[in-house]
Amino acid sequence: MTALAEDQVEALRELTRVWPRAKRSLIGASALGCLMPAFHRRTFDLDVAVAISLKDLPSDIHKPPGWRRDIRHEHRWLTPAGVRVDIIPAGPDLLAAGQVTWPSGQVMSLRGFRHAFSSTSSLEIARGFRIDVATVPVVTLLKVIAYQERPQERERDLGDIAFVLANFDSENDARRYSREILEAGLRYEEVSPYLLGRDLGGLIDQGERLSLTSFIALAKGEVDGGRTELLMRRQAPIPEWRERPEEFLAVIWAFERGLAGR
């Protein structure tokens, strides 16, 4: 079982009833909370990618009783219990276009969303009820892309990315003690970000790689006047990074090295 609240589970059941045959995948912070038991924050929100077209969204979603749309965000719905559900339509036509253009004219990138359906774990979140959850590398990729598209709105993503960088592997991950790691000469704190980079490097295409490398430049403080680097160290649930920026930069360097496969 997972740490999702009962009302969150019920919201996901409702989506299953609305789209019983469409692929659905939990993404975002709630996905990280399911996959990483020590995740640093709890969220009552849900982010769900659904393999549907945009035209399927407005008519079908009215079926859950009591759900209402957030008038400020076309992709956001509120359940009667107060769960905020962000529903991202990501059917084949939208994935091919690489974006969703909402009726208001707002454009949302779907870069990286192809992995939300192909790189998942099936988790039982309640007795007899399972959902697909995007893997930690995929959720991290989506957060990296989302932050760069809307940095003023997505600052909290920086803390989540920082947590993953520091905690991606575990003591039970055999790769931590592999020949590759030993020969790379990595410090203990650098193994987790290196392995995250390695996993992403084997998954991404060129466009997604560009998004990751541009984020690395932000995290290093090489662009935007160092704003992202400072915010990420402040948001990170690792106090040492606030006092010793060189430790934070060493983690970013290890991630970059893993991504490059060297």
Side-chain angles (χ1 to χ4, degrees), residues 15-24 50-52 60 63:
L15 295 183
T16 301
R17 297 180 190 117
V18 171
W19 297 295
R21 290 179 295 277
K23 290 182 179 180
R24 298 169 306 280
V50 187
I52 56 173
D60 286 347
K63 293 178 182 177

Side-chain angles (χ1 to χ4, degrees), residues 229 233 240-251:
E229 180 208 351
R233 287 196 290 113
E240 182 182 20
W241 290 1
R242 299 181 199 125
E243 303 299 325
R244 301 182 62 191
E246 67 275 12
E247 293 295 323
F248 167 73
L249 292 173
V251 165

Side-chain angles (χ1 to χ4, degrees), residues 6-223:
E6 183 177 342
D7 289 333
Q8 291 175 298
V9 173
E10 181 55 32
L12 291 168
R13 288 187 190 274
E14 289 284 8
L15 295 183
T16 301
R17 297 180 190 117
V18 171
W19 297 295
R21 290 179 295 277
K23 290 182 179 180
R24 298 169 306 280
S25 178
L26 186 65
I27 58 176
S30 54
L32 294 178
C34 288
L35 297 170
M36 306 180 79
F39 189 59
H40 67 117
R41 66 182 179 93
R42 292 292 302 271
T43 177
F44 201 51
D45 302 339
L46 295 171
D47 300 274
V48 184
V50 187
I52 56 173
S53 65
L54 186 60
K55 65 180 177 61
D56 293 324
L57 188 59
S59 57
D60 286 347
I61 198 62
H62 282 298
K63 293 178 182 177
W67 284 45
R68 57 189 176 87
R69 201 167 199 163
D70 187 327
I71 60 174
R72 298 169 299 173
H73 304 280
E74 292 166 283
H75 63 288
R76 182 164 296 159
W77 298 80
L78 299 173
T79 75
V83 179
R84 189 172 71 179
V85 186
D86 286 3
I87 302 173
I88 313 302
D93 56 333
L94 294 172
L95 290 177
Q99 62 185 34
V100 180
T101 303
W102 296 93
S104 66
Q106 179 186 0
V107 176
M108 178 183 293
S109 171
L110 291 180
R111 176 172 288 184
F113 270 83
R114 63 194 180 98
H115 304 297
F117 305 116
S118 62
S119 184
T120 62
S121 298
S122 176
L123 297 184
E124 185 177 32
I125 61 170
R127 189 175 302 278
F129 179 49
R130 305 185 71 88
I131 62 167
D132 286 340
V133 181
T135 62
V136 171
V138 169
V139 176
T140 305
L141 173 65
L142 296 178
K143 283 183 170 289
V144 162
I145 293 170
Y147 170 75
Q148 290 179 90
E149 290 180 345
R150 303 185 303 281
Q152 304 297 334
E153 302 174 24
R154 308 287 308 200
E155 291 181 2
R156 193 162 55 174
D157 284 336
L158 295 175
D160 297 343
I161 296 166
F163 178 89
V164 174
L165 284 167
N167 297 278
F168 175 59
D169 74 323
S170 70
E171 292 295 334
N172 297 323
D173 190 335
R175 295 185 301 170
R176 172 173 278 278
Y177 307 102
S178 67
R179 179 184 296 273
E180 176 189 5
I181 297 302
L182 294 175
E183 292 180 348
L186 297 166
R187 296 185 305 154
Y188 183 90
E189 297 81 5
E190 296 167 354
V191 175
S192 178
Y194 177 86
L195 290 174
L196 177 63
R198 286 287 280 170
D199 284 3
L200 278 167
L203 192 68
I204 55 176
D205 62 21
Q206 187 58 33
E208 293 157 352
R209 184 175 294 275
L210 286 172
S211 292
L212 286 167
T213 54
S214 62
F215 179 80
I216 288 169
L218 287 166
K220 286 180 175 180
E222 296 175 351
V223 290

